[in-house]
Amino acid sequence: MTTPPGPPIPEAHAGAVLTIDLDAIAANYRLLADRLDGAQCAAVVKADAYGLGIDRIAPALAAAGCRVFFVALIEEGIHLRQILNDTGDPELVQAEIHVLGGLMAGTEEAFDASRLVPVLNSLDEIHDWRAYCRQLESPLPCDLHADTGMGRLGLPAGEVDKLVEEPSRLDGLNILAVISHLACADEPDHPKNRRQLEAFLDVRLRLHQGQACLANSSAIFLGPEYHFDMVRPGVALYGLGPVHGQPNPMAQVVRLQGKIAQVRDVDTPQTVGYGATHQVEGPGRIATVAVGYADGYLRSLSNRGNGYIGDFPVPVVGRVSMDLITLDVTSIPAHLCLPGAFIDLIGPNNPVERVAEDAGTIGYEILTGLGRRYTRVYVGGAGGTSGAGGA
């Protein structure tokens, strides 16, 4: 795995620096695409590209060869269309943008205006999109989402049966893909994967419509039988391991460094932080860093998280507060932890998954929760190193 380089010297007001490696994202896309035997590799860039900034991530993925994108909401799709249009590249202007959240009532014209592909999740949505297409006398593109066992969005088995029994319900539609979503793909041995694969194969056999798309990041690693015509990875693009309990083959994308605001000597009977949850047991030093739960550094990391100064771990002590955390730097040489120095909160020694484990959550939540107060530095990509955002 590669590690993003450290940031350039930030402006003096930066309380923390979030470095995002665009070259690592491109490398991850190519690694996943190279695992496929003829299937197309799309990219999921919902939730502002998993919190990392769709304005920069989408062009980096496009430069790596991506021409099909998935988002969750129509507003995300409208924004992404503008980003791709602004490139002026005819191929990117024509790139497909699929909206997983479906067709909400009254959004048909907006989908059409931005050339978005609605993922139709119900018979009602199919009816509404078909009515709009008939009004325009044009078979606009769409996807069909069959629920094969997730139990969230998608056509349940009974509605798929109705489509098979009444194929005229699909007349006048340009169906690009039939999709589904696996519930347990990150657990390769889970029996539900095979059950959902068989259910999806049955749907494909009965509907005979468009391309087939089943695999997310984790499912790509389940093997070629899950790849079909197109895959749609998300979190693996951003550096998270796609399979529980296996080595992570993805390049690391993010590095979060918090600046030390103050270092103080402490000794018993002092306590640290709200609620006095950390009792000082002897002479030591505490570094205060300007990052807190308002920045997405979760409160559940209180007395559990770790930072690193170089290769030296420094534990979070006391409660994570809104704007600040405190770390025990007693064992660190004093010249390495002066005010203004940086502590890795996410980095080479503590990747996103490890931070998530300490917080009792998943890497998705850590990534998508990274705050807007960080000074964001993008490295790599066609534009080289550049900053965005503020402290």
Side-chain angles (χ1 to χ4, degrees), residues 98-177:
H98 301 244
V99 181
L100 293 162
L103 183 73
M104 293 188 179
T107 60
E108 292 88 351
E109 289 187 8
F111 270 93
D112 186 16
S114 291
R115 293 181 289 111
L116 306 178
V117 181
V119 177
L120 305 178
N121 293 301
S122 68
L123 293 179
D124 287 341
E125 290 184 10
I126 291 171
H127 174 272
D128 291 346
W129 189 241
R130 182 172 175 241
Y132 183 74
C133 291
R134 290 170 67 185
Q135 175 186 331
L136 297 181
E137 299 182 346
S138 176
L140 298 177
C142 61
D143 298 333
L144 301 181
H145 180 187
D147 179 16
T148 57
M150 175 66 83
R152 302 186 309 185
L153 293 177
L155 294 150
E159 294 193 356
V160 172
D161 291 342
K162 285 188 178 181
L163 292 180
V164 173
E165 294 164 2
E166 304 172 41
S168 61
R169 288 175 179 265
L170 301 177
D171 288 349
L173 298 180
N174 176 17
I175 299 172
L176 299 186

Side-chain angles (χ1 to χ4, degrees), residues 260-265 285-288 329 334 337-339:
I260 297 175
Q262 187 177 34
V263 179
R264 64 172 54 204
D265 295 325
R285 286 178 295 129
I286 299 294
T288 299
V329 296
C337 49
L338 298 172

Side-chain angles (χ1 to χ4, degrees), residues 201-224:
L201 287 167
D202 179 66
V203 169
R204 290 289 297 144
L205 180 65
R206 298 165 67 204
L207 284 182
H208 302 291
Q209 297 282 350
Q211 293 186 312
C213 180
L214 177 64
N216 61 0
S217 293
S218 299
I220 291 173
F221 292 81
L222 293 178

Side-chain angles (χ1 to χ4, degrees), residues 273-288:
Y274 283 119
T277 62
H278 178 73
Q279 175 70 59
V280 176
E281 296 180 354
R285 286 178 295 129
I286 299 294
T288 299

Side-chain angles (χ1 to χ4, degrees), residues 29 55-69 77 79-97 114-116:
Y29 177 83
D55 300 72
R56 303 298 298 270
I57 303 300
L61 287 166
C66 185
R67 295 295 180 270
V68 180
F69 298 88
H79 180 49
L80 177 55
R81 178 60 70 198
Q82 188 61 56
I83 293 169
L84 297 178
N85 286 347
D86 287 347
T87 67
D89 184 326
E91 280 194 40
L92 300 188
V93 170
Q94 296 303 317
E96 292 178 14
I97 302 173
S114 291
R115 293 181 289 111
L116 306 178

